[in-house]
């Protein structure tokens, strides 16, 4: 496989680190120039969304892209859709190589599922340093291990029968795919990404509940809009757009 991305990202590799996202923040704070790919074999303080821990033993992929690009804050969240599509394609490619058919789906805003179980997580962070803004895309893909003691079911490539994966092979396939979609998104905007994401979306057209931390709102998952907000139709027929929250399948007690 050709490493097209290799010329575009400064690669930093660590055997162990606190968190690749934290390292990206430290780099940004030192006002670095250029895009970086930070890859760690294990993390001591891996972070997930909502301040959760991301258990990070050796054997899985832990990486962050530090993008030194001028990305408008309103468009930044769209890159989590670009990233999830690249993860989807990575797993699809690996499955084809193993002659396996896997049910891969994307869950709003930025989870990747196989058979309804979480295989990967994305943590987007942004930071402004001296008038310059950086975007950090943190990605964890479960390759050999899946955390057991978490509230939601998780899986790994190994558990799905993709058993010969080296972490660097998965990283190469992912970054090649991400870079292709990132260039496309930069040149053409969100339309193609949005449609591609919707084709792969879990629970589209079904009743879901979104917990935004304060309220739980249930309705039919209808669409994502032109900036990536989720759109649901309530029982009353009202259409609601939400920019953040956690999605659960079905109707859960509203508060
Ligand atoms: C989530 O689903 O909650 C997001 C998980 C993101 C985990 C990755 S692992 C690499 C990067 N470094 C971190 O500390 N977190 C992200």
């Amino acid at each position: 496989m050709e490493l097209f991305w290799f010329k575009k990202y400064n690669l930093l590799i660590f055997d162990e680190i606190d968190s690749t996202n934290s390292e990206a923040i430290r780099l940004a704070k030192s006002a670095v120039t250029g895009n970086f790919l930070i890859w760690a074999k294990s993390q001591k303080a891996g972070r997930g969304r909502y301040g959760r821990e991301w258990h990070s033993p050796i054997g899985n992929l832990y990486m962050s892209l530090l993008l030194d690009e001028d990305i408008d804050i309103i468009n930044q969240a769209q890159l989590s859709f670009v990233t999830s599509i690249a993860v989807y394609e990575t797993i699809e490619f690996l499955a084809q190589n193993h002659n396996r058919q896997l049910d891969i789906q994307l869950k709003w805003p930025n989870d990747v599922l196989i058979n309804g179980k979480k295989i990967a997580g994305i943590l987007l962070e942004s930071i402004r340093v001296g008038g310059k803004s950086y975007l950090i895309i943190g990605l964890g893909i479960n390759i050999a291990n899946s955390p057991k003691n978490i509230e939601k079911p998780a899986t790994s490539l190994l558990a799905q029968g993709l058993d010969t994966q080296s972490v660097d092979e998965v990283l190469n396939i992912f970054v090649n795919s991400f870079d292709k979609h990132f260039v496309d998104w930069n040149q053409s905007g969100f339309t193609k990404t949005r449609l591609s994401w919707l084709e792969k979306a879990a629970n589209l057209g079904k009743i879901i509940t979104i917990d935004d931390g304060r309220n739980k709102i249930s309705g039919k998952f209808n669409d994502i809009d032109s900036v990536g907000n989720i759109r649901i139709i309530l029982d009353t027929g009202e259409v609601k757009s939400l920019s953040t929250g956690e999605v659960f399948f079905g109707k859960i007690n509203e508060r």
Side-chain angles (χ1 to χ4, degrees):
M1 166 168 297
E2 290 228 41
L3 302 181
F4 295 111
W5 58 269
F6 205 69
K7 296 188 194 107
K8 298 190 181 177
Y9 299 87
N10 299 292
L11 178 62
L12 299 179
I13 306 175
F14 296 86
D15 280 334
E16 186 181 281
I17 203 166
D18 51 352
S19 146
T20 55
N21 267 38
S22 300
E23 178 63 17
I25 289 173
R26 287 191 287 270
L27 280 171
K29 283 185 175 161
S30 68
V32 286
T33 310
N35 293 341
F36 283 74
L37 195 170
I38 302 138
W39 170 29
K41 309 282 171 65
S42 68
Q43 298 183 122
K44 282 282 164 214
R47 297 186 275 117
R49 293 176 72 214
Y50 305 111
R52 290 183 189 133
E53 181 196 352
W54 187 260
H55 185 54
S56 309
I58 291 176
N60 294 339
L61 174 64
Y62 313 107
M63 56 160 283
S64 300
L65 291 165
L66 173 67
L67 301 180
D68 173 18
E69 315 244 353
D70 199 15
I71 302 168
D72 203 327
I73 192 143
I74 184 130
N75 295 326
Q76 288 181 356
Q78 294 169 17
L79 283 172
S80 73
F81 297 89
V82 171
T83 309
S84 358
I85 290 169
V87 174
Y88 181 105
E89 285 184 357
T90 302
I91 300 169
E92 194 176 48
F93 178 84
L94 295 169
Q96 274 163 9
N97 280 355
H98 282 75
N99 286 321
R100 283 193 65 92
Q101 196 89 41
L102 293 179
D103 177 20
I104 318 163
Q105 287 191 312
L106 303 181
K107 182 175 165 225
W108 187 89
N110 48 20
D111 282 345
V112 183
L113 313 174
I114 301 182
N115 293 332
K117 295 178 181 172
K118 182 157 164 159
I119 183 87
I122 297 163
L123 181 65
L124 232 62
E125 297 184 298
S126 64
I127 177 168
R128 274 190 82 77
V129 180
K132 203 163 133 167
S133 78
Y134 296 88
L135 183 69
I136 296 153
I137 303 174
L139 169 68
I141 302 183
N142 299 336
I143 298 177
N145 309 287
S146 50
K148 308 224 165 17
N149 53 345
I150 57 166
E151 66 260 46
K152 280 194 231 140
T155 190
S156 65
L157 296 181
L158 181 64
Q160 296 296 329
L162 309 184
D163 53 0
T164 55
Q165 297 319 315
S166 65
V167 180
D168 53 345
E169 183 189 1
V170 177
L171 176 128
N172 278 338
I173 300 166
F174 165 76
V175 188
N176 267 333
S177 173
F178 171 85
D179 190 60
K180 185 182 78 189
H181 288 291
F182 180 48
V183 168
D184 212 30
W185 174 84
N186 245 332
Q187 287 170 352
S188 323
F190 188 52
T191 309
K192 207 164 127 194
T193 307
R194 177 179 159 270
L195 292 175
S196 170
W197 189 92
L198 281 168
E199 274 173 18
K200 303 167 177 61
N203 301 326
L204 190 64
K206 308 226 172 85
I207 300 295
I208 58 166
T209 300
I210 305 174
D211 186 347
D212 69 1
R214 283 174 307 155
N215 298 303
K216 284 185 181 151
I217 305 163
S218 299
K220 190 164 108 181
F221 176 15
N222 179 243
D223 205 353
I224 56 169
D225 70 14
S226 60
V227 289
N229 296 332
I230 193 165
R231 274 201 184 148
I232 58 170
I233 305 176
L234 310 187
D235 283 349
T236 56
E238 188 194 338
V239 178
K240 264 242 180 269
S241 270
L242 290 150
S243 63
T244 181
E246 205 163 352
V247 170
F248 298 88
F249 182 56
K251 194 165 184 163
I252 296 174
N253 290 342
E254 296 177 36
R255 57 169 136 83

